[in-house]
Amino acid sequence: MMEHIRTPKVENVRLLDRSSGQRKANVGTLYLSSMHTIFVENNPETRKETWVLHSMISSVEKPPTIPAGSQLILRCKDFRVFQIVIQQERDCLDVYTSLVRLSRPEKYSELYCLSFNPSVDKEERQESWNFIDLMADYKRMGVPNNLWVMTAANSEFRVCDTYPSELFVPKSATPSVIVGSSSFRSRGRFPALSYFHQDTLAAVCRCSQPLSGFSGRCHEDEMMLQAVMKSNPGSDYIYVVDTRPKLNAMANRAAGKGYENEDHYANIKLQFIGIENIHVMRSSQQKIIDVSEMRSSSMTDYLWGLENSGWLKHIKAILDAGVFISRAVADEGVSVLVHCSDGWDRTAQACSVASILLDPFYRTIKGLMVLIERDWVSFGHKFSHRYAHLDGDPKEVSPVIDQFLECVWQLSEQFPCAFEFNERFLIVIHTHVYSCHYGNFLGNCQKERKDMRLHERTHSAWPQLWKDRAQYTNSLYKAELSQTQGVLRPNTTPYCFKMWRGLYNHVEKPTPPSQSAADFLSAVREQSQQLEEELTNHQEVPSGGTTHHHQLGSRQEDCCPDWQTNHVGEGCGSEEEV
């Protein structure tokens, strides 16, 4: 990549980190390496360094020249924005041309993870890849058992090349049924087990849409869904959750795809959720980024910008999908088969959110790692396409895992004691998904990673995150609390969703002094008491005055949008509490 660098060093450069709220630019020297842009301040006391990995740069813009010099704007995939001012136009043009190419790698060998070489030997590298053991997690669920077994049908990725080679299916599903079902499902992604609930024996399975068109059917696929139903002795039907809006699913029928015909599949109940496609989500996130970058705007403008982006409504739709699945499994004891179009975007979101709600293990640091490896990495979420690891089709890019991580954050706000990890853990995972610092999220499926020999050529992020887990631990987490152990039942009414400022706004905050959980809760309690006293004082009627009643819980949209950025007192607990 060094051949693409025209000017490796430029002095007297001004750098402004706009995303952190910085108002005064720092002066220093700008360096370009094959993988990083590095800015070193001239201040001899601090000599602060700012490193930006080229794979984290989303776009490079060159606005008009200003009196101080020529400008560049670097927008990063973690929502940081840097403004660079270079005195000489020629130097600026050289840096611009270099960064445009360096930030758009054309092949995997140009990515940082394939040159990152920490001082570990071959055995340590392999051990790091064995840190997450998905088979151990299935064993923890009680699988295999007399209902679910591992199938060899997809060994060497023979049936479905975007699925993992090791899969669990209903015990009654024969190889011919599996192969037949695969031929009737988009991309060959047949129904397979994602999560097994030991208490109810209900399961969460996943697949892609059927190739049904308007009247097509497949005997083996119908038998496969029957086998899923029979693998739950406590229920005589299953839910098929189509995470798409029904209109979208109906439109796919014209292309020979679509959804299950309830007249052909015995004992299924079809449920549409209404999560929009990747193109809608990409556009929505861009609007939320624009809202975050608004300068000198009023609170009204900010709130309406947030509302008009539709972002929080999309987050709600994904969380609603997880809630529906978790209630079916835990409360009704009914198995659920989840799909979208190809089964690697909205399906991953819905299944993983449901697992978070159902199982407290996935609310731990190690558990979230396992969940991402299972429902995202192994089941073929298209990381390199969705997060623009290589220069490719921009229409393939979409913030799919961003939305999952935000759903987890929204849940942690409602249930602050139920998660072992804190916000910082979610943000660092988000960064690693985009950065290509490690090999975990490279490629689009397990087969692709195996063909690239990533376990031999790159390193895993999980052991390092585990080593640093003290930074990512939630001080309020109590493993023994009933809230922590049980099924989470979030409130998904619109007013309970917030703007995730920690992800989109990188304003540096002073580190608070260390504080015990008890002290923190005591401070919150005192603040709540003060607010209640103020509310009581406001409600007191002056002598001879007129009483004006304001009903609590009345319609809020008369005075402000549904979606709010913050809530005093955090009034969004479980539904039983509201």
Side-chain angles (χ1 to χ4, degrees):
M1 297 290 278
M2 293 298 292
E3 67 271 17
H4 302 299
I5 300 175
R6 296 188 176 189
T7 303
K9 177 182 176 182
V10 184
E11 296 181 331
N12 296 318
V13 172
R14 295 179 179 273
L15 179 78
L16 183 69
D17 184 354
R18 293 193 344 199
S19 51
S20 70
Q22 183 183 345
R23 295 183 177 274
K24 185 177 180 181
N26 296 317
V27 180
T29 303
L30 189 74
Y31 299 89
L32 295 187
S33 75
S34 61
M35 296 294 170
H36 293 87
T37 292
I38 308 158
F39 177 81
V40 182
E41 287 183 17
N42 286 347
N43 188 333
E45 295 181 3
T46 58
R47 298 289 290 176
K48 180 182 176 182
E49 297 182 0
T50 301
W51 290 60
V52 179
L53 194 60
H54 291 147
S55 56
M56 286 297 286
I57 297 175
S58 176
S59 67
V60 185
E61 301 169 14
K62 192 176 183 301
T65 300
I66 58 175
S70 300
Q71 298 183 87
L72 292 179
I73 304 294
L74 305 187
R75 299 184 185 277
C76 298
K77 296 173 183 177
D78 61 355
F79 313 114
R80 290 180 299 164
V81 181
F82 296 99
Q83 180 179 2
I84 298 171
V85 179
I86 300 173
Q87 292 180 341
Q88 300 296 322
E89 170 67 16
R90 181 176 178 179
D91 288 339
C92 184
L93 189 59
D94 284 347
V95 172
Y96 171 76
T97 304
S98 299
L99 286 179
V100 166
R101 174 61 182 86
L102 293 168
S103 64
R104 297 176 183 172
E106 296 175 351
K107 48 191 177 182
Y108 286 120
S109 60
E110 295 177 357
L111 294 173
Y112 183 55
C113 61
L114 288 159
S115 62
F116 176 58
N117 192 26
S119 55
V120 297
D121 57 32
K122 184 178 179 180
E123 287 73 22
E124 286 179 286
R125 184 200 299 253
Q126 188 55 48
E127 188 177 335
S128 76
W129 283 108
N130 294 333
F131 181 73
I132 299 299
D133 184 352
L134 294 184
M135 290 303 109
D137 188 47
Y138 281 112
K139 187 176 180 180
R140 182 190 65 83
M141 297 180 209
V143 176
N145 52 38
N146 63 341
L147 303 172
W148 296 90
V149 296
M150 183 181 290
T151 177
N154 205 44
S155 61
E156 301 302 319
F157 313 102
R158 289 177 302 197
V159 176
C160 177
D161 61 1
T162 62
Y163 260 3
S165 57
E166 297 177 322
L167 289 162
F168 289 94
V169 296
K171 189 174 182 179
S172 60
T174 64
S176 61
V177 166
I178 294 170
V179 173
S181 175
S182 174
S183 67
F184 192 67
R185 292 279 165 176
S186 179
R187 311 283 182 169
R189 295 169 68 90
F190 59 89
L193 180 69
S194 172
Y195 177 76
F196 180 72
H197 195 267
Q198 292 190 72
D199 293 344
T200 63
L201 304 183
V204 179
C205 299
R206 56 184 296 172
C207 62
S208 61
Q209 66 183 333
L211 305 178
S212 53
F214 290 102
S215 58
R217 61 187 300 181
C218 172
H219 179 62
E220 289 84 2
D221 194 62
E222 293 164 21
M223 289 179 66
M224 188 68 177
L225 269 63
Q226 190 76 359
V228 171
M229 188 271 292
K230 289 181 178 177
S231 292
N232 180 5
S235 178
D236 57 3
Y237 66 93
I238 65 169
Y239 285 111
V240 174
V241 170
D242 191 326
T243 58
R244 301 168 295 180
K246 187 172 183 179
L247 282 176
N248 296 28
M250 291 176 68
N252 275 330
R253 296 177 74 181
K257 300 177 184 179
Y259 54 91
E260 292 78 4
N261 186 330
E262 291 179 89
D263 293 333
H264 297 164
Y265 292 86
N267 303 317
I268 74 164
K269 292 186 179 181
L270 190 59
Q271 178 76 27
F272 290 95
I273 296 293
I275 303 172
E276 297 289 352
N277 64 33
I278 61 171
H279 312 296
V280 173
M281 300 308 191
R282 180 177 60 250
S283 174
S284 179
Q285 189 186 56
Q286 185 55 55
K287 291 176 183 177
I288 207 80
I289 292 169
D290 295 342
V291 168
S292 300
E293 292 184 13
M294 288 172 67
R295 294 184 177 185
S296 305
S297 61
S298 67
M299 180 56 72
T300 300
D301 291 339
Y302 179 82
L303 289 175
W304 280 115
L306 181 60
E307 168 75 5
N308 291 334
S309 74
W311 182 253
L312 292 178
K313 292 181 182 178
H314 299 317
I315 298 299
K316 170 179 161 51
I318 296 164
L319 199 53
D320 282 337
V323 168
F324 180 87
I325 296 166
S326 66
R327 285 179 176 170
V329 169
D331 298 345
E332 299 180 46
V334 178
S335 293
V336 182
L337 177 63
V338 186
H339 69 71
C340 47
S341 295
D342 292 321
W344 49 45
D345 290 321
R346 290 168 279 197
T347 300
Q349 291 174 330
C351 290
S352 50
V353 168
S355 291
I356 288 274
L357 296 174
L358 285 165
D359 195 328
F361 172 66
Y362 300 120
R363 305 195 286 265
T364 66
I365 292 174
K366 183 76 171 285
L368 187 63
M369 296 177 186
V370 170
L371 181 61
I372 291 172
E373 279 289 332
R374 186 191 77 209
D375 272 336
W376 294 83
V377 178
S378 78
F379 267 104
H381 177 61
K382 298 168 63 175
F383 280 95
S384 286
H385 286 171
R386 293 292 177 260
Y387 313 113
H389 292 163
L390 300 181
D391 191 25
D393 184 358
K395 292 181 180 178
E396 281 284 302
V397 177
S398 193
V400 184
I401 203 168
D402 302 45
Q403 293 180 309
F404 163 66
L405 294 172
E406 180 154 343
C407 284
V408 178
W409 179 80
Q410 298 282 355
L411 288 170
S412 71
E413 289 291 291
Q414 286 199 34
F415 303 97
C417 300
F419 292 82
E420 185 185 25
F421 48 82
N422 57 24
E423 176 187 55
R424 183 183 294 181
F425 187 55
L426 299 174
I427 292 174
V428 78
I429 290 174
H430 179 272
T431 299
H432 283 313
V433 165
Y434 283 92
S435 71
C436 301
H437 191 153
Y438 295 91
N440 301 73
F441 308 114
L442 209 60
N444 297 304
C445 60
Q446 192 184 78
K447 181 180 184 298
E448 201 173 308
R449 296 182 192 98
K450 185 177 181 180
D451 291 344
M452 286 193 288
R453 299 184 294 111
L454 289 184
H455 284 202
E456 301 171 30
R457 302 169 64 200
T458 68
H459 298 265
S460 172
W462 301 130
Q464 186 61 48
L465 294 181
W466 182 252
K467 181 181 177 182
D468 298 335
R469 64 188 178 279
Q471 300 177 35
Y472 309 127
T473 300
N474 172 20
S475 61
L476 296 178
Y477 176 71
K478 297 293 182 184
E480 67 277 5
L481 289 181
S482 58
Q483 182 198 80
T484 304
Q485 288 301 316
V487 175
L488 295 186
R489 305 180 189 281
N491 188 339
T492 63
T493 49
Y495 68 85
C496 288
F497 290 82
K498 308 176 187 180
M499 170 72 172
W500 189 4
R501 292 180 297 179
L503 180 65
Y504 291 101
N505 300 93
H506 289 260
V507 179
E508 294 183 9
K509 305 170 188 174
T511 304
S514 59
Q515 185 181 36
S516 70
D519 291 339
F520 178 83
L521 290 173
S522 177
V524 171
R525 203 174 291 117
E526 289 180 13
Q527 185 182 24
S528 298
Q529 289 174 352
Q530 291 174 3
L531 290 170
E532 288 173 3
E533 290 172 4
E534 290 180 18
L535 182 61
T536 302
N537 292 336
H538 281 298
Q539 289 176 338
E540 288 180 358
V541 182
S543 177
T546 304
T547 303
H548 296 280
H549 294 287
H550 296 275
Q551 182 179 354
L552 291 176
S554 61
R555 288 172 57 87
Q556 297 182 17
E557 57 266 35
D558 295 337
C559 59
C560 64
D562 287 339
W563 310 99
Q564 299 296 311
T565 54
N566 244 327
H567 308 284
V568 177
E570 307 297 341
C572 292
S574 64
E575 289 190 340
E576 290 87 355
E577 297 169 350
V578 175

